[in-house]
Amino acid sequence: MQATRDFSHYVKHLGSGLAHIDLAVEGVSCAGCISKIERGLSAIPDVTLARVNLTDRRVALEWKEGALDPARFIDRLAELGYKAYPFEAVTAEAVEAENSRFLLRCLGVAAFATMNVMMLSIPVWSGNVSDMLPEQRDFFHWISALIALPAAAYAGQPFFRSAFNALRTGNVNMDVPISIGVILTLATSIVETIGHAEHAYFDAPIMLLTFLLVGRYLDQNMRRRTRAVAGNLAALKAETATKFVGPDEISVVPAAAVMAGDIVLLRPGERSAIDGTVIDGRSEIDQSLITGETLHAAVEPGSEVYAGSLNISGSLRIRVSAASEGTLLAEIQRLLDHAVQVRSRYVQLADRASRLYAPVVHVTAFLTMIGWLIAGASFHDSIITAITVLIITCPCALGLAIPTVQTVASGAMFRAGVLLNSGDAIERVVAVDRIIFDKTGTLTLPEFDVVNSAAVPADVVELAGRLALASHHPVAAALARAAGAKSPLPGITEQPGQGVRGILKGEEVRLGSPTFCKADGLANEILSRDPEASVVAFARGEKRYVFAVCQSMRPDARAVIAALQKRGVAVEIISGDREPAVRAAAEMLQIPEWRAGVTPADKIARIEELKRQGFKVMMVGDGLNDAPSLAAAHVSMSPISAAHLSQATADLVFLGNRLAPVIASLDHSRKALHLMRQNLYLAVGYNFLAVPIAILGFVTPPIAAAAMSGSSILVMLNALRGRHVPQETL
Amino acid sequence: MEVIVFLVPLALLLGLFGLLGFLWSLKNGQYDDLDGAAWRAISDDDGTPARPVELRSESRP
């Protein structure tokens, strides 16, 4: 039964007879890849566009509708050496991309206006001390107004909107003092220009907007990039299902295209993408991603199978169920919703700073005006002085202080193998003093590995690996991978539920269960030493070998745990797995605190208990059963191999087989928060120096402009120090 | 000095062309793939793959 691949779900019809598809491609990294892929795909007749986006690691393809099957592009890319997956952009990502483009447009307008207003301001400043005619000055002021007003109205939109939304809900954010400052300054400048005054401040507010937009754009771009990576991951996980389109005809379709009531085929070694009920076939399934339990569960017609289960031995026909209320997934979703609500009460550093900042600034400006009135100054002069206080305190450096550090730090963490899922993750990671690890798939590698290949002759390992290629069983797949086997042996037959057998040079070779290979003695010996292992036996003639296969620890797990403990972070294991397995892992990693057989609800209970004791808990987990506790913890992290829901919930996602990114995220975040604080002090300290000058009425437009750009550049340069964090080798 | 009445608007007009150019390039998607743009600048896109350097091996020993 050969399955056809149906990608029509992903194809967009552009009209005018063209079809479009986006593919996420793995392993694109350089100029060579770009031209190789683009030439390779353009060579297919009827392809009208093939364009690689290196930033997002995607290929956009357009072709004459009906002329080609999209599956052909994926095959062609495979021939070129790239793994590709059809990709569907999520709405959130499109919104982020549009925001990012809007901010860049605002930035372009603001930067243009700043440069041109500056071109007009500098002659006025120098003219004021030499011999500029008042008419010329007025002319320059009016042209400045002509540029600055529309530019501020356009480029200020992100700030005005956000300030308006905050005020409407009775809050204050950083955008409120920014908006008030910009509007008041421009209004005053117009009044001053009408009155033929010597000073007008058209340059300061538009320059302020430019600097702030740089910060906003950097911040937005970081978020867009993370989203793009997350989107690709979703595509790489290839949530497909093999659906019956006829009694004996199957087709591989995206999981999104499967409806309730459809019947899907789940072959050994495949992970289910849907929830459903078994209607035909018997097998064992591995539900470790869902429950954390590593013992396989037996399923037969009538059994429930959840998305994320791995099928081990036999083929299953499953009827897809939509009504999943009351199931495990629904329960997990409910816990998750609750936990997410609780956490959103966290207030970010930037918002806390602005809540303090805004009232202080406005009160100071007001007091300045009153003070000058009492001192006998005219009403006009008092107001002008009060507004210069607002201009000089406008939180330019403050607005850049945090986004610049976040951008630099997230770039550094990206290189260390950590992706940021949420904007405030850095701030929350810093407070962590206790880390809870899940065992299966988090401390251990997500895939099976042969642990005793050194005890078996190399030629036997190689032969067994080639034999293993004939089987779909995950344990056999692990053996084939470990042996690096590429070419399957000819004439191998599979005995369902038993193993595979064949004839090699007149001798019979078998690979499968110990009973099938008559190697029970050897197998029991291994199992008594390591009860966690799965065994697969190999027989050639009279010779017998047994391979022990298990999920081994991540290579640097021991070193990472020790390094965490050295940093004063307490570590514990909470797992849904059986006690002996968890105990063995805890002993090996020297973790004194561990809990086994824990349900999702109990995991949350434990986290809540620790929270009440005042601990800031980081949860590191990958299973579906971890998703609610990931959301309940102060901050959470998932490996890239994690279940979808968990990955979406986690604040940070780490790549690769090593656990070192956990340490890296901690170190980088600590450094980043240090720099954020430093930047806030720099920005506030600058205000402390500048405000008295402004209150005394000595601030002229050139001083305001110089002070603003000086402090912004200082803060940006300081943020760049976040690029380098000393990393210990583990 | 009356000439500045023309020169300043002229300068602004030139600046405005720059801004329009930027907005056009943004709309045209030229900022969507900054990493790729950096690499494309140095790749040979004359359509034919670079000829392998085997000319020297023709001088037989």
Side-chain angles (χ1 to χ4, degrees), chain A residues 708-720:
Chain A
M708 199 176 294
S709 44
S711 65
S712 300
I713 290 169
L714 194 68
V715 163
M716 284 191 197
L717 288 179
N718 192 43
L720 286 179

Side-chain angles (χ1 to χ4, degrees), chain B residues 11-12 19 25 37 43 55:
Chain B
L12 292 177
L19 177 65
S25 65
S43 77
L55 294 172

Side-chain angles (χ1 to χ4, degrees), chain A residues 638-706:
Chain A
S638 275
I640 200 80
S641 53
H644 241 306
L645 192 61
S646 310
Q647 212 170 71
T649 318
D651 297 303
L652 307 119
V653 175
F654 68 94
L655 311 163
N657 272 346
R658 299 165 65 83
L659 208 54
V662 177
I663 296 272
S665 71
L666 209 62
D667 288 351
H668 280 289
S669 300
R670 284 182 179 178
K671 170 98 177 184
L673 192 76
H674 176 71
L675 287 174
M676 282 183 202
R677 290 231 172 90
Q678 219 169 45
N679 269 353
L680 287 179
Y681 287 133
L682 275 176
V684 170
Y686 141 83
N687 275 337
F688 261 108
L689 288 178
V691 166
I693 304 174
I695 291 177
L696 293 176
F698 293 139
V699 170
T700 53
I703 293 180

Side-chain angles (χ1 to χ4, degrees), chain A residues 16-249:
Chain A
S16 68
L18 286 180
H20 178 107
I21 195 168
D22 287 308
L23 303 176
V25 187
E26 263 181 301
V28 190
S29 54
C30 63
C33 305
I34 297 181
S35 53
K36 195 167 149 195
I37 291 177
E38 288 184 353
R39 277 180 213 166
L41 289 172
S42 303
I44 302 176
D46 290 328
V47 170
T48 55
L49 171 92
R51 183 145 181 112
V52 175
N53 184 326
L54 189 67
T55 314
D56 297 339
R57 310 273 146 99
R58 287 179 193 157
V59 183
L61 277 161
E62 279 168 24
W63 67 98
K64 287 185 192 130
E65 204 156 347
L68 291 166
D69 177 12
R72 185 154 165 210
F73 302 130
I74 295 188
D75 295 340
R76 181 80 189 112
L77 283 167
E79 282 165 29
L80 294 170
Y82 301 96
K83 257 186 171 177
Y85 305 87
F87 172 84
E88 189 177 26
V90 268
T91 340
E93 197 190 318
V95 171
E96 298 284 3
E98 186 39 53
N99 271 343
S100 174
R101 218 169 292 149
F102 175 61
L103 284 175
L104 195 55
R105 227 159 35 221
C106 288
L107 178 58
V109 170
F112 158 80
T114 304
M115 286 187 281
N116 285 288
V117 171
M118 228 13 130
M119 175 185 89
L120 297 166
S121 292
I122 290 174
V124 174
W125 298 342
S126 45
N128 278 342
V129 291
S130 55
D131 56 352
M132 192 179 223
L133 300 172
E135 292 77 25
Q136 285 173 344
R137 194 174 59 209
D138 281 353
F139 175 66
F140 276 48
H141 279 167
W142 277 119
I143 293 191
S144 300
L146 199 69
I147 303 166
L149 289 179
Y154 184 79
Q157 282 179 80
F159 306 97
F160 301 153
R161 272 186 213 158
S162 144
F164 180 72
N165 286 338
L167 288 176
R168 207 176 44 186
T169 52
N171 287 317
V172 176
N173 61 11
M174 198 64 99
D175 293 332
V176 175
I178 292 171
S179 303
I180 294 180
V182 167
I183 292 171
L184 271 182
T185 313
L186 287 174
T188 317
S189 300
I190 291 175
V191 174
E192 291 289 278
T193 307
I194 293 173
H196 308 291
E198 203 176 318
H199 294 311
Y201 298 86
F202 289 112
D203 44 35
I206 194 76
M207 182 152 96
L208 172 79
L209 288 179
T210 309
F211 276 119
L212 288 173
L213 281 166
V214 170
R216 291 286 154 102
Y217 175 67
L218 288 178
D219 198 41
Q220 181 66 32
N221 217 24
M222 171 190 101
R223 233 177 292 172
R224 195 186 74 85
R225 202 173 177 142
T226 327
R227 278 250 188 261
V229 173
N232 282 3
L233 290 177
L236 301 195
K237 288 202 159 168
E239 295 257 310
T240 57
T242 311
K243 180 174 132 180
F244 280 90
V245 288
D248 259 336
E249 207 179 330

Side-chain angles (χ1 to χ4, degrees), chain A residues 315-626:
Chain A
S315 287
L316 296 171
R317 283 185 189 216
I318 299 171
R319 184 183 300 280
V320 181
S321 61
S324 56
E325 290 95 18
T327 62
L328 188 67
L329 266 183
E331 168 72 5
I332 284 172
Q333 191 66 51
R334 196 181 56 75
L335 288 170
L336 189 64
D337 290 344
H338 179 70
V340 168
Q341 263 173 20
V342 170
R343 203 171 58 182
S344 58
R345 289 182 204 139
Y346 178 83
V347 184
Q348 292 191 36
L349 185 60
D351 290 338
R352 273 179 301 181
S354 63
R355 273 183 201 177
L356 273 174
Y357 188 84
V360 171
V361 167
H362 292 138
V363 167
T364 312
F366 186 70
L367 289 181
T368 306
M369 189 183 85
I370 301 289
W372 275 101
L373 280 177
I374 292 172
S378 70
F379 187 66
H380 169 263
D381 286 354
S382 308
I383 286 208
I384 294 291
T385 316
I387 284 175
T388 54
V389 171
L390 273 186
I391 296 174
I392 208 90
T393 53
C394 235
C396 184
L398 218 52
L400 285 172
I402 289 167
T404 44
V405 176
Q406 266 182 341
T407 307
V408 171
S410 72
M413 284 162 92
F414 189 81
R415 284 191 292 277
V418 184
L419 300 178
L420 293 176
N421 234 352
S422 69
D424 52 359
I426 292 178
E427 289 173 34
R428 280 183 293 156
V429 169
V430 177
V432 165
D433 50 11
R434 197 171 189 98
I435 300 187
I436 298 180
F437 284 98
D438 172 49
K439 184 184 78 74
T440 317
T442 306
L443 287 173
T444 66
L445 288 169
E447 307 210 306
F448 291 98
D449 196 17
V450 178
V451 285
N452 67 339
S453 52
V456 180
D459 59 323
V460 176
V461 176
E462 199 204 323
L463 186 62
R466 289 178 66 191
L467 196 55
L469 284 175
S471 168
H472 286 296
H473 198 284
V475 172
L479 180 58
R481 201 167 46 236
K486 291 277 184 292
S487 51
L489 291 171
I492 304 296
T493 53
E494 181 159 15
Q495 230 143 310
Q498 302 273 324
V500 289
R501 55 191 283 190
I503 305 290
L504 186 77
K505 293 179 191 152
E507 271 182 316
E508 188 183 37
V509 284
R510 286 182 176 213
L511 181 82
S513 69
T515 322
F516 179 62
C517 301
K518 302 191 185 68
D520 284 310
L522 263 175
N524 287 337
E525 197 181 305
I526 286 179
L527 286 175
S528 63
R529 253 183 290 141
D530 183 3
E532 289 318 305
S534 303
V535 288
V536 56
F538 174 71
R540 179 179 186 180
E542 291 309 308
K543 295 200 191 82
R544 303 278 180 271
Y545 302 95
V546 174
F547 296 93
V549 175
C550 65
Q551 287 180 306
S552 51
M553 287 287 159
R554 289 182 187 263
D556 57 347
R558 174 79 198 93
V560 167
I561 299 293
L564 285 174
Q565 285 161 340
K566 208 179 81 194
R567 280 169 174 71
V569 179
V571 177
E572 65 176 88
I573 302 180
I574 298 189
S575 175
D577 205 355
R578 291 153 300 140
E579 197 198 309
V582 181
R583 185 206 303 275
E587 275 167 9
M588 189 179 147
L589 299 174
Q590 295 177 22
I591 300 175
E593 276 214 75
W594 53 270
R595 285 172 168 69
V598 185
T599 64
D602 288 343
K603 283 192 181 184
I604 293 188
R606 172 66 184 155
I607 288 172
E608 295 295 339
E609 185 193 333
L610 287 169
K611 272 186 178 170
R612 274 195 301 278
Q613 291 169 15
F615 287 109
K616 296 282 188 229
V617 181
M618 181 200 249
M619 174 81 202
V620 187
D622 74 322
L624 215 48
N625 61 331
D626 294 317

